[in-house]
Amino acid sequence: MWRSNPKAWVTRKFFVEWVNLVFGPTVKKYLQENNLPVQALLILDNAPAHPPNLEDDILEELKFIKVLYLPPNTTPILQPMDQQVISNFKKLYTKHLFRRCFEVTESTNLTLREFWKDHFNIAICLQIIDQTWLGVITKTLTSAWKKLWPEAVAERIYEELESGVSVEEEIVSLGKSMGLEVEERDVNELIEEYTQELTTEEIQELQSQQHTEVMQEIGFEESEEEVISTSEIKEILGMWESVSQFVEKKHPEKVATGRASDLFNDTCLTHFRNILRGRKKQTSLDMFFSKRPTGESGKNAKTSEDI
């Protein structure tokens, strides 16, 4: 299943589609083929793309899937994919990419710049991704559960992963074969650069984008009958801020109320924030294109006619 997004982020809509069209059917087929009970547990963190009530959106024939959410701010500590799997995948991808660079430039005398510009595309990238994922061994995937489900991981498996050939060394060797000045710390810095979680601003931007996409899909337009004053919007947003802060401080169920608060904020209030943001932009444009004073101090100022 392939979907695109200008920001390269997974949206809630895409994620639900993936669960219903790819994840669910694949898991069901695997369980049936291996004569296993048709039961599955999907563990999610609190990323914006993960709907807080995902089970409600799962198709009826896939209701055997149960969804469990990790507590807030525990993703780097507990999430299985964060325990070596993602970093291992990135290192293997870098190794295969360097190897392809070396093979092509060595046999054709192309420069790295020419290779990157004319001989690397999405199709080749997908081939490398496929090759890379096949290189992520079962032991790596098994060991990823050590912190979340330690009983499921034999100690010997975890110890075996500590030894073996260093992928970083292979990358460095390939890089030097192409005349690059690269060290192991450079490889690790490259991997670490893309492990940072989204900032609050990025999450808010993603939520705003998701809301805009939904509004576009249903043909939303702010009609004259639905015009809301700016003061009303600011008032309701201020009231919500007070309520959410009160609930966050006083309610004992922090996780549940946090999800409910995020859902309400995303579903209901983003709409009004977008209206307010649009009006602010319009006000700024109006001020920019308005005529400037033409008095003695403003002789050289441009007017809207000049622009």
Side-chain angles (χ1 to χ4, degrees), residues 228-243 269 272 276:
I228 308 170
S229 69
T230 299
S231 60
E232 285 181 301
I233 295 177
K234 290 182 177 179
E235 181 181 4
I236 196 66
L237 292 178
M239 292 169 63
W240 167 247
E241 187 67 24
S242 299
V243 171
L269 297 182
F272 299 106
L276 199 60

Side-chain angles (χ1 to χ4, degrees), residues 242-293:
S242 299
V243 171
S244 61
Q245 289 179 1
F246 177 83
V247 172
E248 182 180 359
K249 292 179 180 178
K250 304 296 184 180
H251 202 290
E253 298 293 337
K254 304 295 184 185
V255 176
T257 54
R259 291 201 194 104
S261 177
D262 290 342
L263 179 62
F264 181 83
N265 185 63
D266 184 20
T267 306
C268 302
L269 297 182
T270 300
H271 162 64
F272 299 106
R273 289 196 180 94
N274 286 340
I275 293 176
L276 199 60
R277 189 179 295 113
R279 290 177 182 174
K280 286 181 179 179
K281 288 182 179 179
Q282 184 60 47
T283 301
S284 299
L285 287 173
D286 290 343
M287 292 176 62
F288 180 78
F289 286 111
S290 63
K291 291 184 178 181
R292 303 287 181 85

Side-chain angles (χ1 to χ4, degrees), residues 107 147 204 216 236 278:
S107 60
K147 292 184 179 180
Q204 290 174 343
Q216 289 174 345
I236 196 66

Side-chain angles (χ1 to χ4, degrees), residues 19 74 91-92 144 150 156 192 200 207 209 261 276 296 303:
V19 170
T74 59
K91 290 176 184 178
L92 290 173
R156 60 179 179 79
E192 288 298 323
T200 301
Q207 291 174 336
Q209 177 188 343
S261 177
L276 199 60
E296 197 66 32
T303 66

